[in-house]
Amino acid sequence: MAKNSDLDKDIARIDQLIGSEMGLGGELTKQQDERQARLSSEQSRIEKFKTAVLRKESKAHRVAIDFGGGVVAQASTELMNWGIRAIGRWSKDGFWANNVDLLQGAPHFVLGLGLYFSEMLTRNDPKGGGEWVTPTREVISEASKIFGQLGFSNLMRAMRVRWGDGKKREVAYQAIAQEKAQLESKLAALQAGGGPAKS
């Protein structure tokens, strides 16, 4: 009988060892399954990210953003310049008429720069690789950048022309002053020499 109880104890101990081994095996299997699920999830996220990057950097997307932004910038620049020229014609000889050249550049430069920086400062930072800038914001960013550059270009051209005109005016003024001095000296010589007799 004592042998039977020892045997039962040994069998119980063996069952316990097998159970704990199976429990460890089950735990290892569970951990391995969880790791596999995480890897699969990561691979899925990587694939989604690659697909999004390919779509975002595709030729069609880049052309749409660049061309869309350029068209918006050029059209708004020309429309605004047309309005400024119309106000200048209406003003006749007022402030607007005398500064049409500068007003076709300075406001565009300031507005374009302001819109560009506003859009960039309010843009969300990408988090986790899942958030992308919307195409509308990309077009606004591109358009405001080009709008500002067109304004800067117009402003610099107006300043160059004004500077060149100022130099030409200065040269013309000096020539007129020289001619006046020569005429005055001739007049003085004629008056000193007696000049022609009066009738």
Side-chain angles (χ1 to χ4, degrees), residues 46-59:
I46 290 170
E47 287 303 315
K48 285 179 184 175
F49 181 73
K50 282 167 71 174
T51 303
V53 168
L54 290 173
R55 186 175 58 246
K56 200 76 165 160
E57 294 304 317
S58 70
K59 291 176 188 173

Side-chain angles (χ1 to χ4, degrees), residues 4-191:
N4 259 350
S5 70
D6 286 342
L7 185 61
D8 287 341
K9 285 180 186 176
D10 288 340
I11 290 174
R13 212 176 303 131
I14 289 171
D15 284 344
Q16 190 179 17
L17 285 172
I18 290 172
S20 68
E21 286 296 319
M22 290 191 70
L24 285 175
E27 186 64 32
L28 288 175
T29 303
K30 183 179 173 187
Q31 288 175 355
Q32 191 173 12
D33 288 345
E34 287 172 358
R35 191 176 308 125
Q36 189 64 34
R38 278 196 309 268
L39 284 174
S40 177
S41 173
E42 287 295 317
Q43 286 175 341
S44 173
R45 279 184 48 210
I46 290 170
E47 287 303 315
K48 285 179 184 175
F49 181 73
K50 282 167 71 174
T51 303
V53 168
L54 290 173
R55 186 175 58 246
K56 200 76 165 160
E57 294 304 317
S58 70
K59 291 176 188 173
H61 182 79
R62 284 282 21 119
V63 167
I65 297 303
D66 294 346
F67 187 72
V71 167
V72 168
Q74 192 68 49
S76 57
T77 297
E78 291 305 320
L79 186 63
M80 201 166 162
N81 286 347
W82 174 81
I84 289 170
R85 286 191 303 272
I87 292 171
R89 284 190 300 275
W90 169 80
S91 176
K92 292 190 173 122
D93 198 29
F95 169 81
W96 291 92
N98 292 322
N99 294 299
V100 165
D101 56 346
L102 294 176
L103 292 171
Q104 290 186 88
H108 303 64
F109 177 58
V110 172
L111 282 172
L113 212 57
L115 280 171
Y116 179 76
F117 282 115
S118 296
E119 194 280 318
M120 289 307 256
L121 290 172
T122 59
R123 186 181 281 191
N124 291 332
D125 287 331
K127 294 173 189 150
E131 293 182 19
W132 295 94
V133 178
T134 62
T136 304
R137 286 191 79 122
E138 283 184 289
V139 169
I140 289 170
S141 180
E142 187 69 19
S144 60
K145 181 173 58 176
I146 295 171
F147 186 73
Q149 289 171 346
L150 287 170
F152 185 70
S153 175
N154 286 343
L155 182 62
M156 290 298 102
R157 183 175 56 242
M159 291 173 72
R160 274 195 313 271
V161 167
R162 281 189 176 211
W163 186 63
D165 287 350
K167 286 186 112 182
K168 287 177 190 173
R169 247 185 254 133
E170 187 180 322
V171 168
Y173 177 75
Q174 288 174 353
I176 289 171
Q178 267 184 334
E179 187 178 345
K180 180 183 176 218
Q182 288 173 353
L183 287 173
E184 285 174 347
S185 67
K186 281 183 185 178
L187 179 64
L190 285 173
Q191 285 175 345

